[in-house]
Amino acid sequence: MSARLKPTTSREPRLPPLRVHVSRDPNETLVLFRNITMARKASLAKNALATAAVLFAIYVIFNIFHGPTATSKLGSALPLGTGESYSISLNSMKNLQNSAGNPVRIYLYDLPTRFTYGVIQHHSLARGGKPVDDLTKLNYPGHQHMAEWHLFKDLLRPNSERTGSAVVRVSDPDDAELFYVPFFSSLSLNVNPSRPAAEPGLDPVRPAYNDEETQEALVEWLEAQEYWKRNDGRDHVIIASDPNALYRVIDSVKKSVLLVSDFGRLRRDQGSLVKDVILPYSHRVNIYQGDIGVENRNTLLFFMGARYRKEGGKVRDLLFQILGNEDDVTIKHGVQSRESRRAASHGMHSSKFCLNPAGDTPSACRLFDSIVSLCVPVIISDEIELPFEDVIDYRKIAIFVETTVALKPGFLVSMLRTITTERILEYQKELKEVKHYFDYGSGTVNEIWRQVAQKVPLIKLMINRDKRFVKRNLTEPDCSCLCSNQTGILTSY
């Protein structure tokens, strides 16, 4: 429409010259003058409307590109009516903007102490610690699955201190959209050290602890809660960072949003990217504080960790055999200890590339140690799932090598030696940009909550869907089961 408009000015529009045929009949002359007058008025009105349309278009374009928010830009770009309909459109967009900007309301369950600080106490006693009167004064032990502690402590803080979080804690469960279950499932799995637990009644200072019994007690407690029963736990969030955490009761909680490190120990009907969230391990080496560069990175490829693993981790032993004799490669067996962490920190900080093969499951904490060390990860794990992949392009920070290719003698080292210094610097620059995502003392917790908050629309969809879903007998889970993790329920009629 605007392409047909002629430029307008403040001068009166020029009309064709007036030519009047003077008729001898007075009535005919009067009619002719009336027609001419109406034509002039119509032309003036047409040009006035054209001018108004141009001004209105300029106003709309100005609001699109100079409006305060992206949402208001969208509102201005919508098909516009006149007057009232335009006002309603803008108001609707403002309401949409406000609702989209609100954090998700989450309720933190006040679990019995047995499932939180009680787990810390048992972990301490099993290692020779002394009983304490106030369990909340106990220090949570450092390990690679500390996400459960960081999320719990974050929700205990006042909302005023939780700036930038996608969730806000509410005190009334009736107001909640999500429910967080703060069971320290990974620590519970590892309470007992390698030596067997004390027998009941024989050592009051070091009482026996049974992780399986604790898992079952948690499910029993949850299933008695009104808000769990309301939606069968689907709007609950449960962390199981260690791949073996909650293994005894996973089928009882599989409809919940699970926070996991990978799906290595979960069946297709228990976990999926659709409903669950992938967490990064807590890094165990010191964060590299220097700038990008290769001057002080004289080792080509570094790895330090357990050589012998199960399942997909068996590739490690083969890599040890292939890489063990390379001059500019450091690959050595190491176990979890303070000394090993110091050695790993030094090795990663002084190497260009860090080897990241699969562990017992596809992921391992070494990847996140590499990232915070600005040591370019070389990932050899075909089944790996990675955290925050909607905002991080891992191809920019890591090199992925198919397992069968990586095990060809001479291939891996030859390939890495061809990568230029300029390319390594590009990797390091990207690593520096994203490393805060993997530092639980920086941005990791907020990023996890953002991922969790994104599940709310799906949760609501599945809750409503379940209310009308008819039971089906399936031998294999279909795509809907990846969302709902069930084969259906019986309708009430």
Side-chain angles (χ1 to χ4, degrees), residues 168-186:
V168 59
R169 182 186 173 189
V170 295
S171 57
D172 186 348
D174 284 328
D175 294 334
E177 298 170 271
L178 294 174
F179 298 80
Y180 185 69
V181 182
F183 173 44
F184 298 155
S185 58
S186 295

Side-chain angles (χ1 to χ4, degrees), residues 124-227:
S124 173
L125 294 177
R127 286 152 182 78
K130 302 298 182 183
V132 297
D133 294 331
D134 185 358
L135 298 185
T136 63
K137 301 298 183 182
L138 288 169
N139 292 323
Y140 186 96
H143 62 88
Q144 61 190 4
H145 300 295
M146 288 186 68
E148 59 191 16
W149 173 249
H150 290 293
L151 293 176
F152 175 61
K153 292 294 289 184
D154 179 67
L155 287 181
L156 287 181
R157 293 190 299 154
N159 284 324
S160 59
E161 297 179 8
R162 302 180 58 255
T163 56
S165 180
V167 300
V168 59
R169 182 186 173 189
V170 295
S171 57
D172 186 348
D174 284 328
D175 294 334
E177 298 170 271
L178 294 174
F179 298 80
Y180 185 69
V181 182
F183 173 44
F184 298 155
S185 58
S186 295
L187 187 63
S188 177
L189 179 70
N190 295 287
V191 160
N192 293 322
S194 56
R195 61 182 183 277
E199 295 182 15
L202 298 182
D203 190 348
V205 176
R206 183 169 164 257
Y209 183 85
N210 189 302
D211 174 51
E212 291 185 350
E213 291 180 358
T214 306
Q215 294 178 45
E216 292 170 348
L218 172 74
V219 171
E220 182 179 353
W221 186 89
L222 283 173
E223 290 178 343
Q225 305 306 306
E226 171 188 352
Y227 298 96

